[in-house]
Amino acid sequence: MKKLILLNLILTLVWVALTGSFEFINFAFGFALTFLILWVINKDAVDRKYFKVIPSIIGFIFYFIYELIKANVQVAYDVITPTMYMKPGIVSVPLDANTDLEITLLANVISLTPGTLSLDVSDDKKVLYVHAMYIHDKEEFIKSIKNGFEKKLLNITR
């Protein structure tokens, strides 16, 4: 997988150099183009994971940006309006993530989203404690974490 990442980046740089345009959009297009070319010509089953991980990473980035904007709007609206819609609380989220990397990434992504903060992980690494400003339905909050951030992160790391 490492050789495919390196090859993809080198071919992208060749694309950028040949076109002479060093803008981000050209870099992104070159990366996507070389990714598709490598996908078409690669027949090795061992290296096929690369072609699943990159789309998962891109999907996760867009999902995170969406959640980030949504949380910012919610917090900003609550700050601007005279009525407080907050219902803060601490929720224990059961984890499917089991490695230190997966748990750390999940906790950091949750903390980066406004209105939520990862507090602690249980000693057996089965529960993540999260403080949230808006907990109107505890089960819905847990489901949104598990089906959102955790599921998308596990698609990348596994």
Side-chain angles (χ1 to χ4, degrees):
M1 190 161 110
K2 290 178 185 177
K3 77 174 185 176
L4 283 175
I5 293 170
L6 184 61
L7 185 58
N8 198 357
L9 289 174
I10 289 171
L11 290 174
T12 301
L13 292 175
V14 169
W15 169 265
V16 168
L18 288 174
T19 59
S21 175
F22 296 96
E23 297 176 5
F24 175 75
I25 191 73
N26 192 38
F27 181 82
F29 179 76
F31 186 85
L33 181 66
T34 57
F35 178 82
L36 288 173
I37 291 170
L38 289 173
W39 179 67
V40 168
I41 65 173
N42 189 355
K43 295 187 182 356
D44 189 11
V46 174
D47 289 335
R48 297 305 281 183
K49 182 180 179 189
Y50 175 72
F51 300 108
K52 294 177 183 169
V53 168
I54 295 297
S56 295
I57 290 172
I58 293 169
F60 175 77
I61 290 170
F62 282 117
Y63 179 76
F64 176 70
I65 290 171
Y66 167 75
E67 288 293 323
L68 188 67
I69 291 170
K70 187 172 83 170
N72 274 300
V73 168
Q74 185 179 24
V75 171
Y77 181 77
D78 205 16
V79 169
I80 291 171
T81 58
T83 307
M84 292 291 196
Y85 296 102
M86 278 192 291
K87 191 173 178 193
I90 296 174
V91 177
S92 57
V93 179
L95 294 175
D96 292 329
N98 49 16
T99 66
D100 288 341
L101 176 66
E102 293 168 348
I103 294 170
T104 302
L105 287 173
L106 179 62
N108 286 331
V109 167
I110 289 171
S111 293
L112 285 172
T113 308
T116 56
L117 179 66
S118 300
L119 298 174
D120 196 12
V121 179
S122 65
D123 292 334
D124 61 355
K125 298 180 184 179
K126 298 289 182 195
V127 177
L128 176 67
Y129 298 99
V130 178
H131 178 274
M133 287 176 58
Y134 304 98
I135 302 177
H136 298 291
D137 183 8
K138 178 184 163 190
E139 295 304 319
E140 187 64 34
F141 178 78
I142 292 171
K143 193 182 341 176
S144 71
I145 296 288
K146 295 202 66 57
N147 291 333
F149 288 130
E150 186 177 31
K151 182 178 178 182
K152 292 185 184 315
L153 276 174
L154 292 179
N155 284 342
I156 294 170
T157 60
R158 290 185 179 169

